[in-house]
Tab-separated table of all heavy atoms in Angstrom:
chain	number	residue	atom	x	y	z
A	16	LYS	N	111.020	160.008	-6.268
A	16	LYS	CA	110.992	159.700	-7.707
A	16	LYS	C	109.645	160.037	-8.333
A	16	LYS	O	109.586	160.698	-9.375
A	16	LYS	CB	111.265	158.197	-7.958
A	16	LYS	CG	112.666	157.748	-7.660
A	16	LYS	CD	112.835	156.262	-7.914
A	16	LYS	CE	112.009	155.394	-6.998
A	16	LYS	NZ	112.379	155.502	-5.576
A	17	THR	N	108.569	159.563	-7.700
A	17	THR	CA	107.246	159.779	-8.287
A	17	THR	C	106.880	161.260	-8.280
A	17	THR	O	106.350	161.786	-9.267
A	17	THR	CB	106.198	158.923	-7.547
A	17	THR	OG1	106.593	157.550	-7.658
A	17	THR	CG2	104.819	159.095	-8.149
A	40	ASP	N	105.959	151.072	-11.499
A	40	ASP	CA	105.857	150.458	-10.180
A	40	ASP	C	104.658	149.507	-10.140
A	40	ASP	O	103.640	149.779	-9.496
A	40	ASP	CB	105.729	151.548	-9.108
A	40	ASP	CG	106.295	151.100	-7.773
A	40	ASP	OD1	106.463	149.883	-7.583
A	40	ASP	OD2	106.569	151.968	-6.921
A	45	ASN	N	101.252	154.483	-7.892
A	45	ASN	CA	100.727	155.688	-7.265
A	45	ASN	C	100.979	156.965	-8.044
A	45	ASN	O	100.603	158.038	-7.599
A	45	ASN	CB	101.162	155.821	-5.804
A	45	ASN	CG	102.641	155.622	-5.640
A	45	ASN	OD1	103.404	155.972	-6.528
A	45	ASN	ND2	103.058	155.056	-4.529
A	119	ASP	N	108.841	156.407	-14.548
A	119	ASP	CA	108.926	156.479	-13.085
A	119	ASP	C	109.294	155.096	-12.559
A	119	ASP	O	108.486	154.179	-12.571
A	119	ASP	CB	107.578	156.948	-12.515
A	119	ASP	CG	107.604	157.038	-10.993
A	119	ASP	OD1	108.700	157.107	-10.407
A	119	ASP	OD2	106.508	157.043	-10.386
A	120	SER	N	110.534	154.950	-12.104
A	120	SER	CA	111.032	153.644	-11.673
A	120	SER	C	110.554	153.285	-10.275
A	120	SER	O	110.415	154.158	-9.429
A	120	SER	CB	112.565	153.667	-11.687
A	120	SER	OG	113.088	152.469	-11.145
A	121	PRO	N	110.315	151.986	-10.040
A	121	PRO	CA	110.110	151.573	-8.649
A	121	PRO	C	111.439	151.592	-7.899
A	121	PRO	O	112.496	151.699	-8.524
A	121	PRO	CB	109.585	150.143	-8.783
A	121	PRO	CG	110.076	149.663	-10.103
A	121	PRO	CD	110.216	150.880	-10.985
C	302	LIG	MG1	107.406	156.081	-6.551
Side-chain angles (χ1 to χ4, degrees):
Chain A
K16 291 179 295 296
T17 301
D40 208 342
N45 49 33
D119 180 20
S120 174

